[in-house]
Amino acid sequence: LPGDIDYSGTSFDSIANGWAAISGPNAVPQAGLIQIFLFVGFLELAVMKDVTGESEFPGDFRNGALDFGWDTFDEETKL
């Protein structure tokens, strides 16, 4: 990707792949890893909840807001 990942000028191309992106000489900056961790934690604790108790299957976080027609599918298609 073109562009920089931080204000100090580290480019996206200079970040390693896989585990080396977490620890190593070409890793994502520590502040970036902390941001990712905190953002995922926020999503898990505050956003990704079954607030209304209307979930039809595990991972159903629509909370009654959207209906994509899951109830019209048979059980095998839902899997």
Side-chain angles (χ1 to χ4, degrees), residues 2 11 17 23 25 36 44 49 51-53 57 59 64 68 72 78-79:
S11 68
N17 295 327
S23 66
I36 292 169
E44 289 288 334
K49 290 186 171 189
V51 178
T52 61
F57 50 86
F68 294 117
T72 61
K78 288 181 184 179
L79 294 175

Side-chain angles (χ1 to χ4, degrees), residues 17-46:
N17 295 327
W19 186 252
I22 303 297
S23 66
N26 295 330
V28 174
Q30 192 70 26
L33 292 175
I34 292 169
Q35 277 183 326
I36 292 169
F37 181 77
L38 291 176
F39 181 65
V40 169
F42 167 74
L43 290 177
E44 289 288 334
L45 296 174

